Amino acid sequence: SGSASWGSSVINLVNTIVGAGVLAMPHALSNMGVTLGVAVILWSGLMSGFGLYLQTQCAKYLDRGSSSFFALSQLTYPNAAVIFDAAIAIKCFGVGVSYLIIIGDLMPGVVRGFSSNVEHGNALFLLDRHFWVTAFMLLIIPLSFLRKLDSLKYTSVVALVSIAYLVVLVVYHYSTGDTIPARGEIHLIKWQGAIATLSSFPVIVFAYTCHQNMFSILNEMHKPSPTRTATVVVASIGTAASIYILVAITGYLSFGTNVVGNIISQYTPSIASTVGRAAIVVLVMFSYPLQVHPCRASLDAVSKWRWRSAGKHSDESAVSSTRGSPTRHSLIVPAKVAVHRPKEEMSELRFAVITTVIIILSYIVAMTINSLDKVLAYVGATGSTSISFILPGLFYYKISSPNSPHHQRLLKDEDDEEYDGSSGSDDDLSPDELRHRSWAEALRQRLKGKQWKRDWTRKLSLALAIYGFVVLVVCLCVN
């Protein structure tokens, strides 16, 4: 069983969600107007939260501690698993590289903010972005070699402190009103047009991407009951949405339509704004290992992938979906069901080699390229959309099919637990239930209610996948 606490799970998930993108929220609001902008932030959080919820439901079909996109692919679309994991690896690698580029771009400005005479001294290397990318890589490397995501909970706390400072900085400048001379118009409802709105829509959608680490959190979480996992999702998405809305509104009201993509760069140079830039560096530095973790797992899965012929699934073709009264003898499942076994833990050598390759390649790319805006725009439009919406929706829709042997096995286990909990006991039935039906009939009604919930969840999962395809097309067209 896992050992990660509820709190560390929330901390790591929030740190995965909230990154430097929070500083672009005021600009997104300037294109949409306050009303529409806040509505889009809440809607995007709701859709991402539902995707996380579907991942928690999909994990029920897998053995404890073995949840991953690759494992689900093996049960649903085995011959497409390599494509899914490759997309996840590329997306996480691209985001990790962008973090290194942000460090290289911001640190020279931080040095100038603390020492205005550095350009006239003998320490000109402190203004070289290559020096700072190299220096921070030395700090990041040990964190990238940690096996468990739970081991990063303390660095995630430091990153969240940096986020808190940035939020306080934006709110402070708004409350003091020192940005009023540079403020443009304020629009509560009016937007800047469809094109401007659609250009900001991907920024908000991608700001909630954290799904690549959800399975790791579920694997490491202590007692991952439905209630505990659901509250982790609600707490993480709720916290992120609150931060986004607070920064978006106060930042937009500070500069109006004149706000730019990175609001910290607009503040008058001071110690506070310089510390704010340093806080961004700390934030992305501790967020880099959170991208290495899923990237490493996906690359490991890709390297182990083998083509599976249709014959290997012949035992899943003849599945009985007959379900009668809630007794043990009526819960029929196939005699032979392909059950996913826990994957073998990555060997020390394999773990070290894959991690080293990721670090070296990301370092080389960050040292040779100054901007990955366009590349990340396309990677985000495809990778983030697939991870957040398309894959969770498609996986749950396929694996929860009434004809799926894995679904029937799960139903049998759940129904047996329900049967054992209700058999021979009338304590949990109301007087009316005791008068009008037996305990067996009451159990049948509860199972019927569960089935109704599963059916609607399955329909909504397909709707989420379709929504993901629409978002993907819209984002690519905007790019």
Side-chain angles (χ1 to χ4, degrees):
S1 61
S3 58
S5 65
W6 182 90
S8 68
S9 300
V10 173
I11 289 172
N12 280 325
L13 199 57
V14 170
N15 189 28
T16 307
I17 299 173
V18 183
V22 65
L23 304 176
M25 288 296 163
H27 183 258
L29 217 65
S30 70
N31 290 328
M32 299 181 178
V34 175
T35 304
L36 179 60
V38 171
V40 171
I41 292 175
L42 293 175
W43 169 258
S44 299
L46 179 63
M47 292 296 98
S48 291
F50 184 57
L52 293 172
Y53 171 75
L54 290 181
Q55 288 183 256
T56 66
Q57 297 301 301
C58 288
K60 294 180 179 179
Y61 295 90
L62 302 167
D63 289 324
R64 177 76 173 95
S66 65
S67 301
S68 67
F69 281 110
F70 181 78
L72 275 175
S73 301
Q74 293 296 299
L75 297 184
T76 52
Y77 311 97
N79 291 327
V82 64
I83 300 177
F84 298 149
D85 270 291
I88 295 171
I90 293 173
K91 184 265 176 189
C92 296
F93 179 81
V95 174
V97 170
S98 72
Y99 289 161
L100 298 180
I101 291 177
I102 290 174
I103 292 174
D105 291 343
L106 289 183
M107 279 309 299
V110 172
V111 173
R112 290 190 181 95
F114 287 119
S115 178
S116 58
N117 297 324
V118 67
E119 295 181 355
H120 305 290
N122 297 323
L124 290 179
F125 65 92
L126 294 177
L127 302 180
D128 184 5
R129 63 178 302 274
H130 299 95
F131 167 78
W132 289 112
V133 171
T134 304
F136 275 87
M137 279 301 297
L138 298 177
L139 299 176
I140 293 172
I141 288 175
L143 301 176
S144 301
F145 276 89
L146 295 175
R147 274 187 175 270
K148 290 188 176 182
L149 204 63
D150 185 53
S151 303
L152 297 171
K153 58 186 176 184
Y154 299 111
T155 58
S156 293
V157 169
V158 176
L160 292 180
V161 171
S162 300
I163 294 173
Y165 178 83
L166 294 173
V167 173
V168 170
L169 183 64
V170 174
V171 174
Y172 169 77
H173 280 287
Y174 164 71
S175 61
T176 58
D178 58 2
T179 61
I180 292 180
R183 188 170 69 181
E185 297 180 356
I186 302 293
H187 301 297
L188 296 179
I189 299 177
K190 181 181 177 182
W191 67 348
Q192 301 300 317
I195 300 300
T197 297
L198 288 177
S199 66
S200 295
F201 180 67
V203 175
I204 297 177
V205 171
F206 303 155
Y208 285 100
T209 302
C210 62
H211 302 65
Q212 66 272 17
N213 279 333
M214 188 61 196
F215 284 130
S216 295
I217 288 175
L218 292 174
N219 292 337
E220 298 176 14
M221 189 176 178
H222 180 60
K223 295 182 180 179
S225 64
T227 302
R228 282 171 63 84
T229 55
T231 52
V232 166
V233 172
V234 172
S236 302
I237 294 293
T239 301
S242 301
I243 293 173
Y244 290 155
I245 291 175
L246 179 61
V247 173
I249 292 178
T250 55
Y252 174 57
L253 295 180
S254 296
F255 292 100
T257 53
N258 292 333
V259 69
V260 297
N262 183 355
I263 190 172
I264 298 297
S265 64
Q266 284 191 271
Y267 294 128
T268 303
S270 63
I271 294 296
S273 60
T274 300
V275 173
R277 293 182 178 89
I280 299 174
V281 172
V282 173
L283 172 61
V284 298
M285 177 183 67
F286 289 141
S287 297
Y288 178 87
L290 293 174
Q291 300 298 327
V292 173
H293 193 277
C295 183
R296 177 175 53 231
S298 295
L299 288 178
D300 178 57
V302 169
S303 64
K304 294 179 179 178
W305 178 83
R306 298 295 182 271
W307 181 270
R308 295 175 63 180
S309 62
K312 293 185 179 181
H313 305 283
S314 58
D315 58 331
E316 301 178 14
S317 58
V319 177
S320 170
S321 60
T322 305
R323 300 187 60 78
S325 60
T327 64
R328 295 183 187 276
H329 302 290
S330 65
L331 300 175
I332 302 176
V333 295
K336 295 175 65 179
V337 177
V339 181
H340 178 76
R341 301 298 178 189
K343 64 179 181 180
E344 295 181 1
E345 189 173 1
M346 206 183 309
S347 67
E348 293 292 342
L349 178 60
R350 189 180 185 84
F351 180 91
V353 169
I354 295 178
T355 305
T356 302
V357 169
I358 295 172
I359 292 175
I360 292 177
L361 288 180
S362 61
Y363 173 74
I364 292 174
V365 175
M367 292 287 283
T368 55
I369 300 178
N370 292 331
S371 176
L372 283 179
D373 290 346
K374 277 297 178 183
V375 175
L376 290 179
Y378 287 104
V379 170
T382 54
S384 296
T385 306
S386 299
I387 295 172
S388 302
F389 311 126
I390 299 177
L391 293 186
L394 289 181
F395 283 152
Y396 185 81
Y397 184 79
K398 180 68 177 292
I399 203 170
S400 64
S401 169
N403 295 325
S404 167
H406 314 290
H407 183 62
Q408 297 234 348
R409 174 177 176 265
L410 179 66
L411 288 182
K412 181 182 183 303
D413 293 341
E414 290 183 349
D415 290 353
D416 281 350
E417 291 177 3
E418 189 77 28
Y419 183 93
D420 291 337
S422 300
S423 179
S425 174
D426 294 336
D427 296 340
D428 60 341
L429 300 180
S430 66
D432 290 337
E433 288 177 321
L434 287 172
R435 285 194 298 268
H436 294 97
R437 63 178 182 268
S438 65
W439 69 268
E441 177 62 24
L443 176 58
R444 186 180 297 110
Q445 292 298 322
R446 285 199 291 269
L447 295 177
K448 184 178 179 181
K450 282 187 175 182
Q451 186 59 42
W452 178 86
K453 179 182 177 182
R454 293 189 188 100
D455 291 342
W456 268 104
T457 303
R458 188 164 184 263
K459 293 176 182 178
L460 291 175
S461 68
L462 180 60
L464 182 69
I466 295 173
Y467 170 76
F469 279 112
V470 173
V471 172
L472 186 150
V473 172
V474 170
C475 294
L476 287 179
C477 291
V478 169
N479 288 336

